Amino acid sequence: MWVSFLAVVLIGALVALAELVSRYRDNPAGALWSVPAAFYVGVNAGGAAAALWTVTQFGWTFGAAGESVTFTQVLVAGFGSGALFRSSLFNVTAGNQVIGVGPSAVLTVILSAADRAVDRGRARIRSRGVGEIMGGFPFERGADALFHYAVAALQNFTPAEVKVVEDRIASLRSGREATLPEQVKSYVLGLSLQALIGEKVLRELVESLRPAFEQAPPAEQVLLDALRANGKSELRKLQAMSGLQLFEFSRVLDGLVAAGRVAVDGGSGEEIASLAGT
């Protein structure tokens, strides 16, 4: 009998480990090597053992017969303990909430608390690492390059994952996060990418891109960055923000307008420049 309980405990622990690995893909080993993670695994393993005890006490065979009964009971208890102990005997409606009464009421709280503790621990480590990696990285000039570099470097990005990062970059540029300081935007971008590619890959990609952004940006990029950061701008203010001489500013602006990348509206003396399509 002890062999059955040992096997079911191992299965329950493996199921918990798989859950944690799927949640913290940027550094699964780092997430697992913590006290909250050990507690999470222990609770799941204990739940599997309790499920096997329940199965044997009630004599449930799940349609098996002969020597396969024990094997079937171990598999069902090991892989099905989560469903068993997350179930509710009945539901109680309190206001707008439906509260399950049963084993799930206790186990869900315990597992959620352990999961949040793991997440908080990982948050401290991730934020510290991203602060070191993304420090000084220019968001406006480098976000697109880093994103496409990361997508090209890894072969298993799903369209949904790519869309999440694209939406985050768009929100940082023109959404509700657009007012954040540029360095904070770089940190947010780094955290978003790190969740998909991991800290080591992110560090290598950023370091390989830094030399390209340490050079002075071309005049066209200066104007585009100023418009992305400030939205629509009067031409006089835009020139001041760009730091370009009037002749150079006019030449670059005319080229961007001709290329369809910048639009200029308004009468003489009150002309407003904006990115095309905004």
Side-chain angles (χ1 to χ4, degrees):
M1 178 60 71
W2 68 269
V3 175
S4 299
F5 276 95
L6 177 60
V8 83
V9 165
L10 290 176
I11 293 174
L14 288 174
V15 170
L17 290 173
E19 290 181 359
L20 291 174
V21 168
S22 67
R23 287 175 181 268
Y24 306 101
R25 292 177 297 171
D26 62 315
N27 188 1
L32 297 178
W33 194 253
S34 64
V35 174
F39 180 70
Y40 186 87
V41 172
V43 170
N44 275 274
L52 180 60
W53 181 85
T54 303
V55 167
T56 55
Q57 289 299 308
F58 284 93
W60 296 336
T61 62
F62 306 102
E67 297 180 354
S68 64
V69 171
T70 301
F71 181 73
T72 302
Q73 289 175 330
V74 169
L75 289 181
V76 172
F79 290 104
S81 60
L84 175 64
F85 286 100
R86 286 178 173 86
S87 62
S88 301
L89 299 178
F90 57 90
N91 294 326
V92 175
T93 302
N96 295 326
Q97 291 185 328
V98 178
I99 302 173
V101 178
S104 64
V106 177
L107 188 63
T108 299
V109 171
I110 294 174
L111 294 180
S112 296
D115 188 32
R116 285 195 297 270
V118 174
D119 199 16
R120 287 193 295 269
R122 288 297 307 149
R124 290 194 297 270
I125 296 172
R126 292 177 69 228
S127 60
R128 185 165 56 247
V130 165
E132 296 174 357
I133 296 170
M134 301 297 293
F137 188 82
F139 175 81
E140 289 297 337
R141 295 171 55 203
D144 290 333
L146 179 58
F147 168 64
H148 290 293
Y149 196 12
V151 172
L154 268 71
Q155 301 178 3
N156 61 351
F157 267 125
T158 66
E161 291 171 337
V162 172
K163 184 68 164 55
V164 168
V165 181
E166 285 180 335
D167 290 345
R168 173 50 61 87
I169 293 175
S171 178
L172 288 168
R173 279 187 169 148
S174 58
R176 61 181 182 179
E177 300 167 319
T179 57
L180 294 175
E182 174 153 323
Q183 186 59 73
V184 176
K185 292 180 181 180
S186 294
Y187 292 154
V188 174
L189 173 63
L191 288 169
S192 299
L193 286 173
Q194 186 185 23
L196 300 177
I197 64 178
E199 181 177 335
K200 291 183 179 179
V201 176
L202 177 64
R203 185 183 299 275
E204 292 181 4
L205 295 182
V206 171
E207 290 305 316
S208 65
L209 287 175
R210 279 192 188 279
F213 295 108
E214 288 175 352
Q215 304 171 4
E220 291 83 357
Q221 190 64 46
V222 171
L223 281 186
L224 292 173
D225 289 345
L227 286 173
R228 289 194 187 101
N230 299 279
K232 296 181 179 180
S233 301
E234 295 180 4
L235 294 190
R236 287 176 296 179
K237 293 182 179 179
L238 183 60
Q239 182 200 354
M241 287 186 292
S242 67
L244 299 174
Q245 296 296 323
L246 180 59
F247 174 78
E248 180 70 5
F249 172 78
S250 299
R251 182 189 66 79
V252 173
L253 181 63
D254 290 342
L256 291 174
V257 171
R261 303 183 68 184
V262 172
V264 177
D265 302 308
S268 178
E270 298 181 354
E271 294 171 306
I272 303 294
S274 62
L275 292 174
T278 60

PDB file of all heavy atoms in Angstrom, residues 3 18 25 44 48 65 67 80 108 114 116 141 184-185 201 221 231-232 239 242:
ATOM      1  N   VAL A   3       3.595   1.771  -1.415  1.00  0.00           N
ATOM      2  CA  VAL A   3       4.086   2.060  -2.762  1.00  0.00           C
ATOM      3  C   VAL A   3       3.053   2.874  -3.536  1.00  0.00           C
ATOM      4  O   VAL A   3       3.393   3.812  -4.267  1.00  0.00           O
ATOM      5  CB  VAL A   3       4.414   0.750  -3.507  1.00  0.00           C
ATOM      6  CG1 VAL A   3       4.818   1.050  -4.947  1.00  0.00           C
ATOM      7  CG2 VAL A   3       5.523  -0.007  -2.795  1.00  0.00           C
ATOM      8  N   ALA A  18       4.297  21.097 -12.849  1.00  0.00           N
ATOM      9  CA  ALA A  18       3.914  21.476 -14.213  1.00  0.00           C
ATOM     10  C   ALA A  18       3.096  22.769 -14.216  1.00  0.00           C
ATOM     11  O   ALA A  18       3.262  23.622 -15.100  1.00  0.00           O
ATOM     12  CB  ALA A  18       3.113  20.347 -14.859  1.00  0.00           C
ATOM     13  N   ARG A  25       7.209  30.998 -17.005  1.00  0.00           N
ATOM     14  CA  ARG A  25       8.024  30.454 -18.087  1.00  0.00           C
ATOM     15  C   ARG A  25       9.346  31.177 -18.264  1.00  0.00           C
ATOM     16  O   ARG A  25      10.264  30.650 -18.885  1.00  0.00           O
ATOM     17  CB  ARG A  25       7.233  30.506 -19.401  1.00  0.00           C
ATOM     18  CG  ARG A  25       6.043  29.559 -19.434  1.00  0.00           C
ATOM     19  CD  ARG A  25       5.270  29.712 -20.716  1.00  0.00           C
ATOM     20  NE  ARG A  25       4.701  31.051 -20.831  1.00  0.00           N
ATOM     21  CZ  ARG A  25       4.128  31.514 -21.933  1.00  0.00           C
ATOM     22  NH1 ARG A  25       4.092  30.771 -23.019  1.00  0.00           N
ATOM     23  NH2 ARG A  25       3.611  32.728 -21.958  1.00  0.00           N
ATOM     24  N   ASN A  44      -0.370  20.078  -3.001  1.00  0.00           N
ATOM     25  CA  ASN A  44      -0.897  19.250  -4.086  1.00  0.00           C
ATOM     26  C   ASN A  44      -0.581  17.773  -3.867  1.00  0.00           C
ATOM     27  O   ASN A  44      -1.426  16.905  -4.115  1.00  0.00           O
ATOM     28  CB  ASN A  44      -0.318  19.714  -5.423  1.00  0.00           C
ATOM     29  CG  ASN A  44      -1.092  20.865  -6.033  1.00  0.00           C
ATOM     30  OD1 ASN A  44      -2.078  20.674  -6.738  1.00  0.00           O
ATOM     31  ND2 ASN A  44      -0.652  22.075  -5.740  1.00  0.00           N
ATOM     32  N   ALA A  48      -3.258  14.727  -3.285  1.00  0.00           N
ATOM     33  CA  ALA A  48      -3.291  13.479  -4.045  1.00  0.00           C
ATOM     34  C   ALA A  48      -3.326  12.273  -3.113  1.00  0.00           C
ATOM     35  O   ALA A  48      -4.056  11.296  -3.350  1.00  0.00           O
ATOM     36  CB  ALA A  48      -2.075  13.404  -4.969  1.00  0.00           C
ATOM     37  N   ALA A  65     -10.718  -4.013 -12.856  1.00  0.00           N
ATOM     38  CA  ALA A  65     -10.860  -5.292 -12.164  1.00  0.00           C
ATOM     39  C   ALA A  65      -9.505  -5.972 -12.084  1.00  0.00           C
ATOM     40  O   ALA A  65      -8.601  -5.709 -12.882  1.00  0.00           O
ATOM     41  CB  ALA A  65     -11.865  -6.188 -12.893  1.00  0.00           C
ATOM     42  N   GLU A  67      -5.804  -7.029 -11.134  1.00  0.00           N
ATOM     43  CA  GLU A  67      -4.567  -6.352 -10.754  1.00  0.00           C
ATOM     44  C   GLU A  67      -4.528  -4.889 -11.192  1.00  0.00           C
ATOM     45  O   GLU A  67      -3.696  -4.121 -10.712  1.00  0.00           O
ATOM     46  CB  GLU A  67      -3.376  -7.098 -11.365  1.00  0.00           C
ATOM     47  CG  GLU A  67      -3.220  -8.526 -10.854  1.00  0.00           C
ATOM     48  CD  GLU A  67      -2.025  -9.221 -11.481  1.00  0.00           C
ATOM     49  OE1 GLU A  67      -1.410  -8.607 -12.395  1.00  0.00           O
ATOM     50  OE2 GLU A  67      -1.714 -10.351 -11.074  1.00  0.00           O
ATOM     51  N   GLY A  80      -6.425  13.218 -10.748  1.00  0.00           N
ATOM     52  CA  GLY A  80      -7.768  13.751 -10.540  1.00  0.00           C
ATOM     53  C   GLY A  80      -7.987  14.398  -9.198  1.00  0.00           C
ATOM     54  O   GLY A  80      -9.077  14.903  -8.925  1.00  0.00           O
ATOM     55  N   THR A 108      -8.534  25.999  -2.376  1.00  0.00           N
ATOM     56  CA  THR A 108      -8.329  27.106  -3.304  1.00  0.00           C
ATOM     57  C   THR A 108      -7.633  28.275  -2.621  1.00  0.00           C
ATOM     58  O   THR A 108      -6.740  28.908  -3.195  1.00  0.00           O
ATOM     59  CB  THR A 108      -9.673  27.565  -3.895  1.00  0.00           C
ATOM     60  OG1 THR A 108     -10.265  26.476  -4.604  1.00  0.00           O
ATOM     61  CG2 THR A 108      -9.473  28.737  -4.842  1.00  0.00           C
ATOM     62  N   ALA A 114      -0.287  30.467  -1.856  1.00  0.00           N
ATOM     63  CA  ALA A 114       1.054  29.993  -2.204  1.00  0.00           C
ATOM     64  C   ALA A 114       1.469  30.502  -3.577  1.00  0.00           C
ATOM     65  O   ALA A 114       2.617  30.923  -3.780  1.00  0.00           O
ATOM     66  CB  ALA A 114       1.088  28.465  -2.169  1.00  0.00           C
ATOM     67  N   ARG A 116       0.445  33.232  -5.098  1.00  0.00           N
ATOM     68  CA  ARG A 116       0.736  34.669  -5.019  1.00  0.00           C
ATOM     69  C   ARG A 116       2.090  34.921  -4.362  1.00  0.00           C
ATOM     70  O   ARG A 116       2.808  35.852  -4.733  1.00  0.00           O
ATOM     71  CB  ARG A 116      -0.369  35.390  -4.250  1.00  0.00           C
ATOM     72  CG  ARG A 116      -1.655  35.567  -5.043  1.00  0.00           C
ATOM     73  CD  ARG A 116      -2.565  36.586  -4.372  1.00  0.00           C
ATOM     74  NE  ARG A 116      -2.983  36.130  -3.057  1.00  0.00           N
ATOM     75  CZ  ARG A 116      -4.070  35.411  -2.828  1.00  0.00           C
ATOM     76  NH1 ARG A 116      -4.841  35.053  -3.837  1.00  0.00           N
ATOM     77  NH2 ARG A 116      -4.395  35.042  -1.601  1.00  0.00           N
ATOM     78  N   ARG A 141      13.223  54.863 -29.623  1.00  0.00           N
ATOM     79  CA  ARG A 141      14.080  54.456 -30.733  1.00  0.00           C
ATOM     80  C   ARG A 141      14.286  52.953 -30.791  1.00  0.00           C
ATOM     81  O   ARG A 141      14.513  52.398 -31.876  1.00  0.00           O
ATOM     82  CB  ARG A 141      15.437  55.152 -30.623  1.00  0.00           C
ATOM     83  CG  ARG A 141      15.387  56.663 -30.767  1.00  0.00           C
ATOM     84  CD  ARG A 141      16.732  57.271 -30.424  1.00  0.00           C
ATOM     85  NE  ARG A 141      17.805  56.677 -31.222  1.00  0.00           N
ATOM     86  CZ  ARG A 141      19.086  56.678 -30.862  1.00  0.00           C
ATOM     87  NH1 ARG A 141      19.441  57.228 -29.716  1.00  0.00           N
ATOM     88  NH2 ARG A 141      19.990  56.133 -31.637  1.00  0.00           N
ATOM     89  N   VAL A 184      10.728  54.292 -17.731  1.00  0.00           N
ATOM     90  CA  VAL A 184       9.718  53.374 -17.199  1.00  0.00           C
ATOM     91  C   VAL A 184       9.112  52.548 -18.332  1.00  0.00           C
ATOM     92  O   VAL A 184       8.842  51.350 -18.176  1.00  0.00           O
ATOM     93  CB  VAL A 184       8.626  54.149 -16.440  1.00  0.00           C
ATOM     94  CG1 VAL A 184       7.523  53.205 -15.962  1.00  0.00           C
ATOM     95  CG2 VAL A 184       9.221  54.887 -15.251  1.00  0.00           C
ATOM     96  N   LYS A 185       8.895  53.174 -19.476  1.00  0.00           N
ATOM     97  CA  LYS A 185       8.388  52.436 -20.636  1.00  0.00           C
ATOM     98  C   LYS A 185       9.356  51.319 -21.024  1.00  0.00           C
ATOM     99  O   LYS A 185       8.933  50.207 -21.372  1.00  0.00           O
ATOM    100  CB  LYS A 185       8.183  53.384 -21.820  1.00  0.00           C
ATOM    101  CG  LYS A 185       7.069  54.401 -21.638  1.00  0.00           C
ATOM    102  CD  LYS A 185       6.953  55.281 -22.874  1.00  0.00           C
ATOM    103  CE  LYS A 185       5.864  56.322 -22.719  1.00  0.00           C
ATOM    104  NZ  LYS A 185       5.739  57.186 -23.915  1.00  0.00           N
ATOM    105  N   VAL A 201      18.180  35.615 -22.384  1.00  0.00           N
ATOM    106  CA  VAL A 201      18.015  35.988 -23.789  1.00  0.00           C
ATOM    107  C   VAL A 201      17.769  37.486 -23.914  1.00  0.00           C
ATOM    108  O   VAL A 201      18.327  38.153 -24.796  1.00  0.00           O
ATOM    109  CB  VAL A 201      16.855  35.194 -24.427  1.00  0.00           C
ATOM    110  CG1 VAL A 201      16.623  35.648 -25.864  1.00  0.00           C
ATOM    111  CG2 VAL A 201      17.152  33.703 -24.397  1.00  0.00           C
ATOM    112  N   GLN A 221      14.761  60.414 -37.601  1.00  0.00           N
ATOM    113  CA  GLN A 221      14.337  59.681 -36.414  1.00  0.00           C
ATOM    114  C   GLN A 221      14.085  60.621 -35.246  1.00  0.00           C
ATOM    115  O   GLN A 221      13.186  60.403 -34.434  1.00  0.00           O
ATOM    116  CB  GLN A 221      15.402  58.644 -36.034  1.00  0.00           C
ATOM    117  CG  GLN A 221      14.956  57.665 -34.954  1.00  0.00           C
ATOM    118  CD  GLN A 221      13.802  56.802 -35.411  1.00  0.00           C
ATOM    119  OE1 GLN A 221      13.812  56.267 -36.508  1.00  0.00           O
ATOM    120  NE2 GLN A 221      12.783  56.683 -34.575  1.00  0.00           N
ATOM    121  N   GLY A 231       2.884  63.800 -29.542  1.00  0.00           N
ATOM    122  CA  GLY A 231       1.680  63.906 -30.352  1.00  0.00           C
ATOM    123  C   GLY A 231       1.764  65.075 -31.317  1.00  0.00           C
ATOM    124  O   GLY A 231       2.841  65.449 -31.778  1.00  0.00           O
ATOM    125  N   LYS A 232       0.634  65.691 -31.603  1.00  0.00           N
ATOM    126  CA  LYS A 232       0.612  66.828 -32.519  1.00  0.00           C
ATOM    127  C   LYS A 232       1.369  68.006 -31.913  1.00  0.00           C
ATOM    128  O   LYS A 232       1.227  68.301 -30.729  1.00  0.00           O
ATOM    129  CB  LYS A 232      -0.826  67.236 -32.825  1.00  0.00           C
ATOM    130  CG  LYS A 232      -1.624  66.156 -33.560  1.00  0.00           C
ATOM    131  CD  LYS A 232      -3.030  66.622 -33.868  1.00  0.00           C
ATOM    132  CE  LYS A 232      -3.802  65.546 -34.624  1.00  0.00           C
ATOM    133  NZ  LYS A 232      -5.178  65.979 -34.939  1.00  0.00           N
ATOM    134  N   GLN A 239      10.475  72.073 -33.818  1.00  0.00           N
ATOM    135  CA  GLN A 239      11.869  72.371 -34.132  1.00  0.00           C
ATOM    136  C   GLN A 239      12.689  72.513 -32.856  1.00  0.00           C
ATOM    137  O   GLN A 239      13.817  72.020 -32.759  1.00  0.00           O
ATOM    138  CB  GLN A 239      11.977  73.651 -34.960  1.00  0.00           C
ATOM    139  CG  GLN A 239      13.428  73.972 -35.350  1.00  0.00           C
ATOM    140  CD  GLN A 239      13.632  75.426 -35.727  1.00  0.00           C
ATOM    141  OE1 GLN A 239      12.668  76.192 -35.814  1.00  0.00           O
ATOM    142  NE2 GLN A 239      14.882  75.816 -35.937  1.00  0.00           N
ATOM    143  N   SER A 242      13.358  69.149 -31.361  1.00  0.00           N
ATOM    144  CA  SER A 242      14.282  68.331 -32.143  1.00  0.00           C
ATOM    145  C   SER A 242      15.722  68.811 -32.030  1.00  0.00           C
ATOM    146  O   SER A 242      16.660  68.027 -32.190  1.00  0.00           O
ATOM    147  CB  SER A 242      13.862  68.329 -33.614  1.00  0.00           C
ATOM    148  OG  SER A 242      14.033  69.625 -34.188  1.00  0.00           O
TER     149      SER A 242
END
